[in-house]
Amino acid sequence: DAMLAHRILALLMVAASASAIQVPRFAPRGAARFGASPIEGDSRGFFPLMRESVSDMFSEGLTTAKAAAKQAAVTLSFQEKMIAGATARGVSQTVLHPIDVARTRLQAKGVKKDWSPKVFLKGVLPQVILAVPAGAFQFVGFEYCKEFLPKVLPGPGLADLRSLISGAGGALAASVIRVPQEVLKQRIQADIYPNLAVAFTTIAKKDGLPGFYKGYTATISRDVPWNAMAFLFHAQFKRVFSVVAGRPCNDQENLALASAGGMLAAVIMTPIDVCKTRIMTGTGNEYTSLPQAFVKVLAEEGPATLMKGVVPRVMYLAPLAGVTLSIYDALSARIIAKKTAELKQKRR
């Protein structure tokens, strides 16, 4: 009944919130799996030390760039890291876009089962256009929090908490762009609008600016707890691995553990993701808020509906870190190589 549904939703959100507080007092090297930097003073910014784990994909370029950087003391500026990070995030999400289409179509109500190849490109235009700006906002928000938080939460004992809050800050900053992106993208993916032009003009005329932020609270309620739980699970998996293997994990194992943590968090937050999709793609006032959507879906369609799209959601998030880090490494290598060549040219 409605009371039971409210209690289930409350327990889910409390568990998610608790994971944000009960952060272990040791920093996983891959904390930036979701935008956090686990090591104080780390200058590499937007992504974690985990990007070392995928360097073999670009070994020749990275080796050359790193050697050149070491010899010439070449580093990436804030703007260059922001561009590389935002671009990497945007490209990786675009590469995985077909999986996101499957998730939306499974979760949205009343979408016909059409899985022809062209369907998997639905909504790709708002994804391509807005992914990089969203990534840039996330980078700036994360970096600002990382610089500011040591002033109010000083000490090495709070390093994990600062990293966790910084990741949440980055997600909140990105939501300014990401929520309108999701609204446009998901309504196209769910066959509500045929293309970006129709979606944008229709929403603007009908609902104005607030229409582009429909489902904002649900999006934040999904993303911030997911970040917290991914952080927590990753740290716990690393501790278990160290106990079982008798040694710390290497870079490749660290990436696998981070992905496993993100996948488990994704499964737990799938009911919230379903409600978010219903709010963004629902017509009229069918779904008005996260609690109302949760109760309505549970009462009318049963608990199984709240787990719709869990497989593509996990398939999307599992490789996201690896793809993003690979692209970031490649872009960083090219920038460093170019700056090194220019520096050598000047010295001549």
Side-chain angles (χ1 to χ4, degrees), residues 64-76 336-345 347:
T64 302
K66 287 177 180 177
K70 186 175 181 180
Q71 293 176 5
V74 175
T75 59
L76 295 179
I336 289 174
K338 183 179 178 180
K339 291 177 73 173
T340 302
E342 291 175 351
L343 184 60
K344 287 182 177 179
Q345 187 69 28
R347 288 179 176 177

Side-chain angles (χ1 to χ4, degrees), residues 9-27:
L9 179 61
L11 287 172
L12 185 63
M13 297 308 297
V14 167
S17 301
S19 68
I21 299 172
Q22 300 170 1
V23 180
R25 296 189 63 181
F26 57 93

Side-chain angles (χ1 to χ4, degrees), residues 193-271:
Y193 302 121
N195 54 55
L196 176 59
V198 174
F200 183 85
T201 55
T202 302
I203 295 172
K205 290 179 180 179
K206 185 178 179 182
D207 302 314
L209 183 61
F212 293 100
Y213 287 91
K214 189 175 183 181
Y216 181 87
T217 302
T219 303
I220 297 302
S221 299
R222 177 198 65 176
D223 291 348
V224 174
W226 178 83
N227 283 347
M229 285 189 286
F231 189 106
L232 174 66
F233 293 147
H234 180 209
Q236 298 293 359
F237 288 165
K238 284 189 65 179
R239 186 168 68 175
V240 172
F241 180 93
S242 297
V243 171
V244 174
R247 61 173 177 82
C249 60
N250 60 33
D251 289 334
Q252 287 75 21
E253 292 162 344
N254 187 53
L255 179 61
L257 293 176
S259 295
M263 290 165 62
L264 180 56
V267 172
I268 295 172
M269 295 307 297
T270 295

Side-chain angles (χ1 to χ4, degrees), residues 82-307:
M82 181 181 70
I83 292 171
T87 302
R89 186 78 173 179
V91 172
S92 63
Q93 289 178 336
T94 302
V95 169
L96 297 170
H97 181 77
I99 302 176
D100 188 54
V101 173
R103 175 185 65 88
T104 299
R105 293 180 71 84
L106 287 171
Q107 292 178 346
K109 188 177 181 180
V111 178
K112 64 179 181 180
K113 294 182 179 181
D114 180 6
W115 301 109
S116 58
K118 64 179 182 180
V119 167
F120 292 97
L121 292 178
K122 284 180 173 288
V124 71
L125 199 53
Q127 165 61 37
V128 171
I129 294 174
L130 297 174
V132 173
F137 271 61
Q138 181 170 355
F139 179 87
V140 172
F142 167 72
E143 288 293 329
Y144 174 81
C145 291
K146 192 175 74 171
E147 293 295 326
F148 173 76
L149 286 174
K151 301 175 184 177
V152 294
L153 297 172
L158 297 176
D160 289 339
L161 181 59
R162 289 195 297 270
S163 295
L164 185 62
I165 296 175
S166 295
L172 287 171
S175 67
V176 175
I177 303 294
R178 191 158 290 154
V179 173
Q181 177 195 39
E182 284 285 295
V183 170
L184 291 167
K185 182 179 66 175
Q186 287 202 313
R187 291 188 183 186
I188 297 171
Q189 291 172 342
D191 297 332
I192 296 173
Y193 302 121
N195 54 55
L196 176 59
V198 174
F200 183 85
T201 55
T202 302
I203 295 172
K205 290 179 180 179
K206 185 178 179 182
D207 302 314
L209 183 61
F212 293 100
Y213 287 91
K214 189 175 183 181
Y216 181 87
T217 302
T219 303
I220 297 302
S221 299
R222 177 198 65 176
D223 291 348
V224 174
W226 178 83
N227 283 347
M229 285 189 286
F231 189 106
L232 174 66
F233 293 147
H234 180 209
Q236 298 293 359
F237 288 165
K238 284 189 65 179
R239 186 168 68 175
V240 172
F241 180 93
S242 297
V243 171
V244 174
R247 61 173 177 82
C249 60
N250 60 33
D251 289 334
Q252 287 75 21
E253 292 162 344
N254 187 53
L255 179 61
L257 293 176
S259 295
M263 290 165 62
L264 180 56
V267 172
I268 295 172
M269 295 307 297
T270 295
I272 307 301
D273 189 47
V274 171
C275 293
K276 181 203 78 86
T277 298
R278 291 296 181 93
I279 293 171
M280 286 186 171
T281 60
T283 57
N285 294 319
E286 186 178 10
Y287 302 101
T288 57
S289 66
L290 181 57
Q292 183 267 347
F294 189 91
V295 171
K296 185 177 178 64
V297 172
L298 186 60
E300 295 181 358
E301 303 175 58
T305 302
L306 291 170
M307 294 303 295

